[in-house]
Amino acid sequence: MFKNYLKIAWRNILKNKGYSIINIGGLAIGLACFLLIAIFISNELSYDNYHEKKDSVYRVIHHSNADSPDDAWVWGNAPVGPALKSDFPEIIEKAQFSGRSDILLEYNNRKFQEGDCFYADTSVFNVFSWPLINGDPKTALEAPYSIVLTETTAKKYFGNENPVGKTIEGIGGRAADGTYTVTGVMKDVPQNSHFSFDVLMSMSSFYQTRPEIFDSWGYVDFYTYVLVSNNFDQTAFESKIPDFLKKHIEPEVAEQYYYNFSLESMNKIYLYSKADRQPGETGSLSNIYIFAIIGLFILIIASINFMNLATARSMERAKEVGIRKVIGAERKGLIYQFLGESLILVLFASLLGLLLAFLGLPWLSSLTGKAFAMASFITAPILLLYFGTTLLTGFFAGSYPAFILSGFKPVRVLKGAFRTSAQGANLRKGLVILQFSISIALIASTVVVYYQLGFMLNKDMGFAKDQQLILDFNWDGEVLNNVEAIKGEFLALADVSSVSLSRTVPSSHFPAAGTDIETYEGNMENFSPYIYEVDNNFIQHYKIDVVAGRAFSPDFPTDSISSLIINEAAVKEFGYNDPNQIIGKKFQQWGREGSIVGVVKDFNYISLHSEVAPLTLRQVPYGRYLSLRISSNNYKDAITAIEKKWNVLAPHRPFIYSFLDEAFNKQYISDIRFRKLFTIFSCLAIFIACLGLFGLATYSAMLRTKEIGIRKVLGANVSTIVALLSKDFIKLVGIAILIAIPFSWYAMRQWLNEYAYKIDVEWWVFLLAGAIALSIAIATVGFHAFKSANNNPIKSLRTE
């Protein structure tokens, strides 16, 4: 019997090639999209799963605001790690990293500035599953000036040699200066890791340069992880934290500076952590939900197409059912036949979908910036989900013709008394409404996503970010010793109109500073605003507006020792309503005392995901970056001239530059990827919906062929017939628009809540989405209507 089912299914495919292509092709595309989205989501959910002890690893999260428990940092002090291991037997091991460092490394005249470098405890290889290819993991990071390289980094300097025992120079990185001995080579950190790096240096190397910070509970420069015992109870442990802090932090310090901490499981870091200062990228749980919904929508739309066309076409086989029943076929056998044929068609579609998904993997990798290997493509859970879904689709698609057609009375069918049932027609209409409701919601959502990201990329950030060339010299001592002369040399270039020195620039790393400010009542209160250390030209160079007081100026030599400038957010944080009220108030910050001389307008020095936070600016003679404002639009020549000058002024350092607007927009790289994926998958969903509408329109026009012929003979023109055939579908799309609007409005409002600065969801978005869907429907249905209306009526009426 199976052979018979297969033969009949194959004959039906060949007999109706157009419908078969639409049916199998549409479902295959839908299944391929579903599978690609499943692979993407599976990858997002796999972060840090490669660590053997992941269930027992926790990260210390630091809190510095008693009024805002959610105001948390991953980056914190050093002494908390050793104290935890010493005081709690359930803490088996602690592993600490310094903050990320950029270090210039040199070997045999090959120099590279490495951007992902950390100082680390020797215990990191016990806590994390980062296997060493060469070297002993127990001692690799034990001695001062030891260094472990990833496999890719090692090959860059040493080729295929074993570098263990060789030395490499660290240059110009302040604490990183020195000769390092390579003590290990480890495999590259997997891409599905919340923490990635290229170089690890022994923490004892860092201790050589700044031993005092390892005992300071107020100094922030470390990431702390702990390995706990199997019976660890996080709730019970955190109840002991208050007593632990009382033991280690002096009462007078605790009264002045609030500090607390909590633990965060490694299993929740990538998708659930809300703490600031992450050591690597984090994912978005809401985006995973969105993609899961899109994948489900695409599958639903593809399945609806398949079911609609299957049920519509099955009506043509009513006489076949009647004949089979007359010659003795049982209903059970007919049910098996129709279900079997449906499952065979779905099997063809699933195999084609697998091929399309396989071909689409490189495309998915390029869009997401993540490598998807075949291993992720053929995992058992994903394939089980895939084929389970296809079998369900096939069952539901074949269930209507199987159970309805098999129940027809053969006498009525063979007499020609059978007509398409109202029940079947209403089912198809309902499914068309559902799929176009989904499509319209996706169109509206795509428009909102597109404009939100455009708003973020084009919003006035409150400072001049265009035509800013940033030179990164990484605190190089020789450069700093001659920085004023270097600035003057650059200013002498025709393409450079302004130069500024600073420790940070917008979008790059910046610290926070414990700061005492004189309040309105005259008391000194402690805050922890962010800090920009800049030269006296920074505010003018970046065209930041001053709303009260003044900017730094060479006319005030004491600015470098006793002046502070803050932003409007800091004014509010310090309890003042008018920026002018805080001018002249006293401050104490990082060993400096003086008065506040100016207030700048809030500018978005971090991404628009967050509101502008309190910021202080103070003048210093050092920094890491030179900002050059380019006055020419000929960037190529300008960069060439600047590079030539740099090679003369600092021949010992590579010329490392970036444009500020490009670097700043890198903060939105995950948003850009999200927009691309969302838009492409939404367009594919709409395309699949149109395929189904195309097939149904063809079938509808075919059923009314004789009616169209009669109307033409009686004098109906083409436009009348087109309107007749199109109006039913247009009504369905109109209903879909009404259903989709509230759903998509609510969903996009929820999604936009993730952004501190966002667009309003305007009414025209839904009008546009509805107009696009309506235009697509009219074009799709109208094509067949026009074609049918232009057919010669003699052909359709010849048999009457």
Side-chain angles (χ1 to χ4, degrees):
M1 289 302 294
F2 178 78
K3 183 180 178 181
N4 184 50
Y5 297 156
L6 184 61
K7 185 184 296 184
I8 294 173
W10 181 248
R11 285 174 180 173
N12 278 315
I13 291 173
L14 295 179
K15 182 181 177 182
N16 303 289
K17 296 182 180 66
Y19 290 100
S20 299
I21 291 172
I22 291 174
N23 227 3
I24 295 175
L27 184 58
I29 294 172
L31 288 169
C33 292
F34 178 76
L35 183 54
L36 288 173
I37 290 174
I39 290 171
F40 171 75
I41 292 175
S42 176
N43 178 265
E44 290 292 285
L45 296 175
S46 72
Y47 267 69
D48 298 315
N49 286 348
Y50 66 90
H51 291 295
E52 295 177 6
K53 303 173 183 177
K54 62 183 178 63
D55 295 330
S56 300
V57 178
Y58 288 77
R59 182 171 68 177
V60 176
I61 302 297
H62 307 267
H63 307 273
S64 58
N65 191 333
D67 299 324
S68 301
D70 293 334
D71 184 13
W73 287 26
V74 181
W75 206 34
N77 62 68
V80 67
L84 284 172
K85 185 180 178 183
S86 172
D87 288 19
F88 297 102
E90 59 265 47
I91 304 294
I92 299 173
E93 188 59 271
K94 62 91 180 174
Q96 289 184 299
F97 303 84
S98 71
R100 176 179 277 104
S101 301
D102 292 342
I103 297 169
L104 183 68
L105 294 179
E106 180 182 15
Y107 178 76
N108 280 352
N109 296 320
R110 289 197 293 272
K111 297 180 183 179
F112 299 96
Q113 183 154 307
E114 302 295 346
D116 289 324
C117 306
F118 292 86
Y119 293 96
D121 287 338
T122 189
S123 58
V124 296
F125 297 114
N126 180 36
V127 175
F128 302 98
S129 299
W130 294 324
L132 262 63
I133 300 170
N134 301 110
D136 184 353
K138 295 181 180 179
T139 60
L141 290 173
E142 191 172 79
Y145 297 101
S146 300
I147 191 169
V148 172
L149 308 175
T150 61
E151 189 174 11
T152 298
T153 306
K155 286 183 178 179
K156 184 164 60 175
Y157 292 93
F158 300 97
N160 293 322
E161 301 176 40
N162 180 1
V164 174
K166 292 182 169 58
T167 59
I168 191 168
E169 293 294 323
I171 303 172
R174 303 174 77 183
D177 282 354
T179 300
Y180 290 83
T181 301
V182 179
T183 52
V185 177
M186 58 172 280
K187 289 186 177 180
D188 291 345
V189 179
Q191 67 166 5
N192 56 341
S193 176
H194 83 278
F195 196 119
S196 61
F197 51 85
D198 297 320
V199 175
L200 290 179
M201 300 169 291
S202 60
M203 188 68 79
S204 55
S205 310
F206 193 23
Y207 186 87
Q208 302 294 315
T209 60
R210 304 189 67 186
E212 71 282 357
I213 65 175
F214 285 79
D215 296 320
S216 174
W217 287 80
Y219 187 85
V220 176
D221 199 14
F222 297 87
Y223 298 108
T224 301
Y225 294 78
V226 293
L227 179 67
V228 302
S229 58
N230 292 332
N231 59 350
F232 179 72
D233 184 333
Q234 184 175 355
T235 303
F237 171 81
E238 290 187 347
S239 67
K240 305 173 187 176
I241 290 178
D243 291 335
F244 170 82
L245 292 174
K246 287 179 183 178
K247 174 182 176 182
H248 290 279
I249 300 179
E250 298 176 359
E252 58 272 16
V253 176
E255 290 180 8
Q256 189 175 9
Y257 306 105
Y258 175 82
Y259 174 71
N260 199 359
F261 70 90
S262 58
L263 294 186
E264 182 177 65
S265 170
M266 177 179 279
N267 295 321
K268 294 186 177 181
I269 288 176
Y270 181 71
L271 288 176
Y272 296 89
S273 182
K274 300 298 182 184
D276 289 335
R277 302 303 184 130
Q278 298 284 346
E281 67 172 339
T282 55
S284 170
L285 191 62
S286 64
N287 285 356
I288 286 181
Y289 288 141
I290 288 171
F291 281 122
I293 291 171
I294 291 176
L296 184 61
F297 280 175
I298 290 176
L299 188 61
I300 289 172
I301 290 172
S303 300
I304 287 173
N305 284 350
F306 190 86
M307 287 186 279
N308 262 345
L309 291 174
T311 55
R313 294 295 297 179
S314 65
M315 299 307 165
E316 296 179 6
R317 301 178 64 184
K319 286 188 178 181
E320 176 192 336
V321 172
I323 293 172
R324 284 177 177 272
K325 280 197 165 186
V326 166
I327 62 176
E330 295 182 355
R331 186 181 184 191
K332 182 170 68 173
L334 292 172
I335 290 174
Y336 288 155
Q337 177 184 331
F338 280 108
L339 284 177
E341 288 182 21
S342 178
L343 291 174
I344 289 169
L345 289 173
V346 168
L347 179 62
F348 289 155
S350 66
L351 294 176
L352 179 58
L354 272 175
L355 176 62
L356 292 175
F358 173 70
L359 296 175
L361 272 181
W363 164 80
L364 183 65
S365 296
S366 66
L367 275 180
T368 60
K370 300 177 181 180
F372 295 103
M374 274 297 294
S376 65
F377 185 65
I378 58 173
T379 55
I382 289 179
L383 290 182
L384 183 63
L385 175 65
Y386 179 77
F387 284 108
T389 303
T390 53
L391 288 175
L392 283 175
T393 302
F395 174 79
F396 284 113
S399 60
Y400 181 82
F403 292 103
I404 301 299
L405 287 182
S406 63
F408 289 155
K409 294 181 179 180
V411 175
R412 292 189 63 209
V413 172
L414 294 176
K415 281 183 177 180
F418 169 74
R419 295 288 184 273
T420 301
S421 68
Q423 181 184 6
N426 289 333
L427 174 63
R428 288 192 292 276
K429 287 178 181 179
L431 293 176
V432 169
I433 290 172
L434 175 59
Q435 67 177 180
F436 263 86
S437 296
I438 294 172
S439 298
I440 292 163
L442 288 175
I443 293 171
S445 301
T446 301
V447 173
V448 171
V449 169
Y450 186 90
Y451 275 93
Q452 171 61 22
L453 186 56
F455 166 78
M456 291 163 58
L457 294 175
N458 298 310
K459 183 181 181 295
D460 180 7
M461 308 301 288
F463 66 92
K465 69 174 182 177
D466 296 329
Q467 295 184 288
Q468 297 277 6
L469 185 75
I470 310 300
L471 298 185
D472 181 2
F473 60 88
N474 198 27
W475 305 94
D476 187 278
E478 291 186 42
V479 173
L480 286 174
N481 289 337
N482 299 285
V483 71
E484 292 303 321
I486 291 173
K487 287 164 65 176
E489 291 287 339
F490 282 135
L491 278 174
L493 295 176
D495 295 325
V496 178
S497 61
S498 179
V499 181
S500 177
L501 169 71
S502 58
R503 173 177 180 165
T504 188
V505 294
S507 81
S508 70
H509 169 78
F510 51 87
T515 307
D516 292 326
I517 296 288
E518 184 182 357
T519 64
Y520 195 78
E521 294 78 17
N523 301 318
M524 298 295 287
E525 288 193 15
N526 183 261
F527 302 88
S528 294
Y530 294 127
I531 181 173
Y532 266 36
E533 293 181 294
V534 301
D535 67 4
N536 58 22
N537 188 44
F538 183 88
I539 293 173
Q540 294 90 334
H541 176 88
Y542 279 99
K543 298 182 180 179
I544 301 169
D545 293 336
V546 177
V547 296
R550 62 176 178 83
F552 295 127
S553 169
D555 297 333
F556 295 89
T558 57
D559 279 351
S560 62
I561 57 174
S562 61
S563 296
L564 190 70
I565 293 175
I566 63 176
N567 68 349
E568 292 173 306
V571 171
K572 295 175 185 176
E573 178 80 6
F574 299 149
Y576 292 87
N577 296 320
D578 182 355
N580 291 290
Q581 294 174 336
I582 204 168
I583 301 300
K585 297 297 182 180
K586 297 177 183 177
F587 80 91
Q588 296 174 358
Q589 183 189 70
W590 281 2
R592 183 179 292 186
E593 297 182 9
S595 60
I596 296 172
V597 299
V599 176
V600 295
K601 187 176 181 179
D602 282 343
F603 63 98
N604 294 94
Y605 55 95
I606 50 180
S607 81
L608 297 180
H609 286 278
S610 306
E611 293 183 355
V612 177
L615 177 71
T616 61
L617 299 94
R618 70 178 194 171
Q619 184 181 329
V620 295
Y622 51 79
R624 171 178 175 167
Y625 301 101
L626 283 171
S627 302
L628 284 66
R629 190 188 308 143
I630 308 301
S631 57
S632 167
N633 290 324
N634 191 343
Y635 297 120
K636 184 177 180 181
D637 289 347
I639 293 171
T640 299
I642 293 168
E643 183 176 10
K644 287 181 179 178
K645 181 64 69 175
W646 179 259
N647 290 335
V648 172
L649 298 171
H652 61 290
R653 286 207 65 87
F655 180 67
I656 300 172
Y657 75 94
S658 62
F659 279 99
L660 182 64
D661 56 346
E662 294 176 357
F664 195 89
N665 289 341
K666 283 182 180 178
Q667 297 177 106
Y668 305 124
I669 192 166
S670 61
D671 300 281
I672 293 170
R673 288 172 179 167
F674 174 78
R675 182 176 73 172
K676 287 180 180 178
L677 286 171
F678 190 96
T679 303
I680 290 171
F681 282 121
S682 296
C683 290
L684 285 171
I686 296 162
F687 172 73
I688 296 169
C690 291
L691 277 181
L693 194 61
F694 184 87
L696 280 178
T698 305
Y699 177 70
S700 177
M702 184 193 70
L703 289 180
R704 304 178 73 172
T705 298
K706 290 183 174 62
E707 177 191 345
I708 294 169
I710 293 170
R711 288 180 179 274
K712 288 196 73 175
V713 168
L714 294 176
N717 57 33
V718 173
S719 60
T720 302
I721 295 173
V722 170
L724 175 71
L725 296 176
S726 303
K727 66 179 183 180
D728 289 340
F729 288 105
I730 293 172
K731 285 179 184 177
L732 298 180
V733 175
I735 296 171
I737 291 172
L738 296 178
I739 294 173
I741 286 175
F743 171 77
S744 54
W745 178 84
Y746 176 79
M748 284 297 97
R749 291 274 296 182
Q750 295 299 114
W751 178 73
L752 287 170
N753 285 336
E754 290 195 359
Y755 298 90
Y757 301 90
K758 52 184 178 287
I759 62 171
D760 293 324
V761 182
E762 302 284 356
W763 61 268
W764 62 263
V765 171
F766 306 104
L767 181 64
L768 177 63
I772 292 173
L774 200 58
S775 299
I776 292 172
I778 291 172
T780 305
V781 176
F783 171 79
H784 277 292
F786 185 79
K787 183 179 177 182
S788 300
N790 278 289
N791 285 339
N792 189 340
I794 294 175
K795 292 182 179 180
S796 59
L797 298 176
R798 183 176 294 163
T799 59
E800 292 297 318

